[in-house]
Amino acid sequence: MSIRPIMVRLLMLVAAGLFLAVALTIRALSDGRLEQYSGTALYASMVYAGVLFLWPRLRPVPTGAAAIAFCWAMECFQLTGVPAVLSARSLLARLVLGVQFDPVDLLWYPVGVVPLVALHHLLRPRAAPGVPFEVAVAGKPRASSERRALKVDDNQFIGLVAKRTGTSSEQATALIRATLTTLAERIDGGEARHLAGQLPPGLRPYAFASGETAERFGLDVFVERVSGRADVDVTKAKDGVTAVLDVLREAISPDGYEDVVSQLPAEYGEVADLTAPFVERTR
């Protein structure tokens, strides 16, 4: 998993802990409406942190919308009476599900979310365009790269892979599509979308993941999937994967490449340069 999403998740755990601490402090020092409605707003703030913990690359508005939708769903769920029964048996259930429906709470949930959406937006511009939110939050500047990404179109990308594999353009195209599709399955959904945004337009659809969570499979499975999708034997598939990842390394930003390969275990070093992106790949 990329170091940047990990950093965001750690920040969100700390933030959720702070929100909980504030809510418990208010509860200990006060009661009545202040306790109730501040607790409602801070509950929503914790949900916002939870959403961002699960999807670190999610943008502010979708994160806020998901948090509010979850809170409203939990509030409406209280109409069934089930949360009240569960809350009587479990403090955890009481904290998560609540007890009794209160329509006023529906208005207080956005109070705990909207400021965080605004803060999220304010933090994003600290990074250069295209830099993920978590880089801005972490305060980590973009590394000065020893090289710049090649500006290649679809045909040039395919031509580079064809040259490295010694195959036709048609075969190189099949290997590229198979490799990108399999790579998108192996990395987080947000990272796959970020990668797709840096590819030539004709290749972008193959880098979109079908889900948010990366599938955890080894190099052998990766090569086998590419072999089946490109209709080549395993040896040619492995050579193709190596060629595609080499060209990918040159065609996207150094940080973008590092984000991708940082999610791959050490065994993938057989087909990809897992070192810092500005180091020349050795064979």
Side-chain angles (χ1 to χ4, degrees):
M1 185 176 292
S2 170
I3 184 63
R4 294 187 177 102
I6 287 177
M7 203 170 295
V8 176
R9 289 184 168 114
L10 289 175
L11 286 170
M12 291 307 103
L13 284 176
V14 171
L18 289 174
F19 295 142
L20 179 60
V22 172
L24 293 176
T25 300
I26 294 174
R27 183 175 182 178
L29 299 178
S30 179
D31 55 18
R33 292 184 177 181
L34 175 61
E35 175 197 351
Q36 178 182 352
Y37 296 132
S38 65
T40 299
L42 288 166
Y43 171 83
S45 298
M46 285 188 282
V47 172
Y48 188 96
V51 173
L52 205 54
F53 176 86
L54 294 174
W55 296 286
R57 292 190 181 278
L58 204 58
R59 296 182 182 277
V61 172
T63 304
I68 293 174
F70 177 87
C71 293
W72 283 349
M74 289 298 99
E75 189 69 30
C76 293
F77 184 46
Q78 293 170 9
L79 291 170
T80 66
V82 174
V85 174
L86 296 176
S87 296
R89 302 175 181 175
S90 168
L91 176 60
L92 179 61
R94 182 183 181 88
L95 292 174
V96 175
L97 302 177
V99 180
Q100 185 176 359
F101 175 78
D102 185 346
V104 179
D105 286 348
L106 298 175
L107 302 177
W108 276 94
Y109 290 127
V111 173
V113 170
V114 172
L116 296 182
V117 172
L119 179 61
H120 195 155
H121 270 297
L122 288 174
L123 289 173
R124 288 178 64 86
R126 294 182 184 178
V131 178
F133 158 67
E134 54 267 26
V135 178
V137 172
K140 177 182 176 182
R142 292 183 71 88
S144 57
S145 303
E146 300 280 338
R147 65 166 182 84
R148 292 181 180 275
L150 294 176
K151 298 296 183 181
V152 297
D153 58 24
D154 301 334
N155 291 331
Q156 290 171 325
F157 195 107
I158 293 169
L160 289 170
V161 172
K163 181 178 180 180
R164 294 183 184 223
T165 56
T167 60
S168 65
S169 295
E170 291 75 13
Q171 186 66 77
T173 301
L175 287 168
I176 293 169
R177 292 174 176 175
T179 300
L180 292 177
T181 299
T182 308
L183 181 62
E185 295 170 343
R186 185 57 184 78
I187 62 179
D188 293 341
E191 195 60 69
R193 290 190 294 274
H194 187 59
L195 169 61
Q198 299 187 69
L199 292 172
L203 302 179
R204 290 174 187 171
Y206 303 102
F208 283 101
S210 58
E212 291 296 325
T213 305
E215 296 183 43
R216 307 301 180 187
F217 50 80
L219 178 59
D220 288 345
V221 174
F222 191 105
V223 172
E224 287 173 2
R225 292 190 182 188
V226 172
S227 173
R229 285 167 170 157
D231 194 22
V232 296
D233 61 41
V234 172
T235 300
K236 289 183 178 179
K238 190 171 184 178
D239 290 342
V241 170
T242 303
V244 173
L245 293 178
D246 274 353
V247 174
L248 183 68
R249 176 183 173 280
E250 297 172 3
I252 66 176
S253 70
D255 286 341
Y257 178 82
E258 184 181 13
D259 286 344
V260 171
V261 299
S262 66
Q263 298 193 39
L264 304 177
E267 64 175 314
Y268 280 76
E270 294 182 32
V271 296
D273 180 6
L274 302 183
T275 60
F278 49 81
V279 175
E280 289 295 329
R281 176 176 169 79
T282 57
R283 293 183 179 278

